[in-house]
Amino acid sequence: MQLSGHLENPIFKIVADEARKLGAEAFVIGGYVRDILLGRESKDIDIVVAGSGIELAQNVASKLGKNILVTVFKNFGTAMIHHNGLDVEFVGARKESYRADSRKPLVENGSLEDDQNRRDFTINAMAFSLNEFDFGSLIDPFGGHHDLEKKIIRTPLEPDITFSDDPLRMMRAVRFAAQLGFTIEEKTLAAIQRNGKRLAIVSKERITDELNKMMLAPFPSDGFIYMQETGLLEVVLPWVAALQGVEKIGGSGHKDNFFHTIKVLDRVAQRTDNLWLRWAALLHDIAKPLVKKYSEETGWTFHGHEVKGERMVHDIFRELKLPLNEKMKYVQKLVLLHLRPARLAEDEITDSAIRRLLFEAGDTIDDLMLLCEADITSKNQQKVIKYLKNFEIVRHKLAEIEQKDKLRNWQPPVTGEMIMQTFDLQPCREVGIIKNAIREAILDGKIENNYTEAFNFMIDEAKKINIIQKK
Ligand code: CTP
């Protein structure tokens, strides 16, 4: 197969010329080849050379112009050039061999074939030639092209060997399966089942990187189901694994919260690429197993799972080395509030309840509504129609009140500073009491959201707790 049509970018010709001058064979390899064949855009080009990758990179860079910077990673024998929005990485072909007395591989210079043998999947082990005599031809020793067409993830060597070289590849398998909509071949899948526990030796950052890529797949549930089937879920996300299963008492069972969760995640994924909203979907019911109760009168309940869930988000983010910043707070807020719109819709929808929700949700209100709508996974169509209709009313009311009261990023018209000035107070408990009372009165609709009403209300409240206005 010829890929010359995809090699129009002048960089390939330059690499080919410089490699020829060095008397070394060069090839494009890995993800770039896979993505070209899939018709996906890719900005990372890996060049493997039977010789020194660093020397080739330096020669290519000087051909490209004076200002091209070569970043050299001496320890790895690699070098990187950034050119016209592309990252081109050069590496010398390597061979790894294992001695019986050591787990540490011996890494030596090798051929293209040796390099292809060490790659993770057949679809990632293809190369195309940059050499004069067969420029653009595909070198595909493991049938990667066929696997691409059949949509199969398969290791080039015995999967136990490929996974033992780098256990992260097991996560990569489920990530690629979800990302590309592929199936993991049987022997490869069985090897993941056998070796899954070895993921424990891989750094959290690398695992989480794969997890995030999987979360951004068109249907992340494909990856989660593979993780569950292989046991990777238990190793990587034990809290999500704990959502599995249906307990029954006296013939009454609850829904399987794992399948519910990944359904909600897929529904959210159909509507947004926001990674953190997707994380909120994954974690919205995370505390359910911890608060689950059964009683004859009420059946199964999960009271307080949203409050406990909010706290768990922090622990999970810390454990997975996800950022402990405003992204985490956003996820926490969505988890904490995820029941509110539905509860609102169940009762009579009052202005004050809407105001309160707007105040608490702030800028996350639209994402919260999206999450809550995705959370309706009932099989009972009548119920679904009823909920969605109620949500429509909530949305309508939210827009109406927001227009009137501008509560999204609202601060009450009388601040703590003003309270201290009016009553000649230092920061103290009483200031907080008055401030809260003003906020609550506005949210409840007892007074209007303006300075005069808030000021008069403040005076009345101060009198109630025996605070005298400054003369
Ligand atoms: N690779 C590997 N084992 C790994 C990671 C990477 O064999 N644990 C090889 C694969 O051949 C892969 C190439 O290195 O195609 C480049 O890896 P990377 O850039 O991480 O992934 P891509 O396959 O390019 O995919 P993506 O850009 O989606 O991460």
Side-chain angles (χ1 to χ4, degrees):
M1 180 174 185
Q2 280 293 319
L3 285 164
S4 327
H6 297 286
L7 303 177
E8 273 144 20
N9 192 318
I11 186 115
F12 292 116
K13 192 79 189 63
I14 295 173
V15 175
D17 285 347
E18 293 309 310
R20 185 174 40 80
K21 284 186 209 159
L22 286 173
E25 294 190 340
F27 307 86
V28 179
I29 192 161
Y32 190 80
V33 181
R34 176 200 67 219
D35 287 342
I36 277 186
L37 292 170
L38 283 172
R40 290 165 101 212
E41 206 200 351
S42 176
K43 303 228 170 282
D44 294 326
I45 302 177
D46 289 330
I47 308 277
V48 67
V49 49
S52 162
I54 298 175
E55 196 180 0
L56 179 59
Q58 278 158 343
N59 293 0
V60 169
S62 49
K63 252 288 142 5
L64 287 171
K66 281 207 176 66
N67 315 329
I68 303 286
L69 195 73
V70 185
T71 316
V72 176
F73 304 94
K74 238 190 165 145
N75 289 349
F76 298 101
T78 65
M80 169 100 96
I81 296 176
H82 186 75
H83 178 65
N84 280 349
L86 292 172
D87 283 325
V88 190
E89 187 165 347
F90 296 80
V91 59
R94 277 172 294 187
K95 176 180 178 171
E96 284 176 7
S97 49
Y98 290 83
R99 284 167 300 162
D101 57 341
S102 164
R103 271 285 311 126
K104 251 187 128 167
L106 202 68
V107 182
E108 310 164 84
N109 291 339
S111 62
L112 171 69
E113 192 188 341
D114 294 327
D115 201 278
Q116 286 177 304
N117 281 333
R118 333 172 4 254
R119 302 237 160 208
D120 54 0
F121 304 113
T122 59
I123 60 167
N124 288 343
M126 294 179 278
F128 56 77
S129 165
L130 294 180
N131 304 307
E132 221 171 5
F133 58 93
D134 62 348
F135 186 87
S137 57
L138 184 72
I139 302 144
D140 179 17
F142 308 109
H145 191 214
H146 181 257
D147 286 349
L148 267 190
E149 281 173 345
K150 293 258 173 246
K151 298 179 173 258
I152 286 173
I153 307 286
R154 187 163 60 89
T155 56
L157 307 179
E158 271 301 307
D160 288 330
I161 298 176
T162 301
F163 292 144
S164 124
D165 284 355
D166 180 4
L168 180 75
R169 290 169 168 172
M170 294 182 274
M171 267 310 290
R172 283 173 64 86
V174 296
R175 181 263 281 196
F176 280 119
Q179 221 175 24
L180 304 174
F182 280 25
T183 309
I184 303 178
E185 175 265 343
E186 226 170 89
K187 270 173 71 181
T188 305
L189 192 69
I192 301 179
Q193 273 153 354
R194 274 196 302 278
N195 294 293
K197 293 229 157 41
R198 300 208 56 221
L199 249 193
I201 63 169
V202 175
S203 81
K204 288 280 185 326
E205 286 85 349
R206 293 182 77 211
I207 295 176
T208 299
D209 228 34
E210 293 299 328
L211 207 49
N212 279 339
K213 287 181 181 170
M214 192 180 104
M215 291 285 280
L216 286 170
F219 293 95
S221 69
D222 291 344
F224 280 100
I225 287 173
Y226 268 134
M227 285 183 77
Q228 187 214 22
E229 269 177 34
T230 54
L232 292 186
L233 194 65
E234 189 68 48
V235 181
V236 176
L237 293 166
W239 321 273
V240 177
L243 293 169
Q244 295 169 88
V246 176
E247 201 175 329
K248 274 196 171 157
I249 296 184
S252 137
H254 56 77
K255 66 182 165 208
D256 184 310
N257 287 308
F258 171 69
F259 287 103
H260 164 72
T261 290
I262 58 175
K263 203 168 185 181
V264 175
L265 176 56
D266 274 356
R267 287 163 62 96
V268 165
Q270 299 323 295
R271 294 183 57 190
T272 177
D273 286 336
N274 177 344
L275 174 66
W276 306 107
L277 183 44
R278 292 182 182 205
W279 268 103
L282 182 71
L283 300 180
H284 77 285
D285 278 346
I286 200 69
K288 273 194 168 174
L290 296 177
V291 299
K292 181 164 97 173
K293 280 211 171 71
Y294 178 82
S295 83
E296 298 251 315
E297 303 81 64
T298 52
W300 291 102
T301 58
F302 301 91
H303 287 313
H305 74 272
E306 72 284 17
V307 179
K308 210 168 181 78
E310 183 210 14
R311 279 187 233 131
M312 283 176 76
V313 170
H314 179 267
D315 298 341
I316 293 172
F317 266 51
R318 198 184 47 207
E319 183 69 26
L320 294 176
K321 304 268 194 288
L322 282 163
L324 301 177
N325 57 13
E326 75 286 353
K327 307 286 186 217
M328 180 196 69
K329 288 195 185 129
Y330 163 88
V331 176
Q332 283 185 308
K333 193 180 248 187
L334 289 175
V335 171
L336 178 68
L337 297 177
H338 81 270
L339 297 174
R340 290 281 289 280
R343 285 206 181 132
L344 246 177
E346 271 167 20
D347 304 329
E348 192 199 341
I349 305 169
T350 64
D351 282 10
S352 82
I354 293 272
R355 246 184 244 121
R356 210 163 265 287
L357 181 61
L358 260 174
F359 175 65
E360 284 173 49
D363 276 339
T364 63
I365 188 71
D366 296 328
D367 294 347
L368 179 67
M369 291 304 290
L370 194 154
L371 173 62
C372 293
E373 281 174 359
D375 199 9
I376 307 168
T377 60
S378 167
K379 288 203 184 80
N380 179 337
Q381 270 312 304
Q382 290 303 102
K383 252 190 187 173
V384 173
I385 290 167
K386 188 183 119 195
Y387 283 141
L388 288 179
K389 220 166 107 199
N390 284 349
F391 273 158
E392 231 2 84
I393 303 173
V394 173
R395 274 186 192 279
H396 185 76
K397 279 256 180 201
L398 278 167
E400 192 182 290
I401 301 253
E402 169 59 12
Q403 242 227 329
K404 189 156 67 86
D405 294 347
K406 303 270 175 292
L407 283 166
R408 249 180 202 225
N409 286 312
W410 174 73
Q411 286 303 324
V414 170
T415 64
E417 278 295 314
M418 293 175 191
I419 300 169
M420 288 193 278
Q421 257 187 19
T422 313
F423 302 107
D424 204 9
L425 292 172
Q426 293 301 310
C428 61
R429 203 169 67 90
E430 284 74 11
V431 178
I433 293 174
I434 299 172
K435 205 173 137 191
N436 283 347
I438 298 170
R439 187 190 65 221
E440 294 300 297
I442 295 174
L443 290 175
D444 284 342
K446 288 185 191 148
I447 59 170
E448 286 292 320
N449 179 18
N450 64 44
Y451 176 77
T452 315
E453 292 215 15
F455 190 86
N456 292 338
F457 183 82
M458 169 190 74
I459 303 285
D460 294 343
E461 283 304 293
K463 278 185 195 149
K464 276 193 214 157
I465 54 173
N466 295 325
I467 290 181
I468 315 294
Q469 194 173 356
K470 189 169 87 174
K471 288 289 167 268

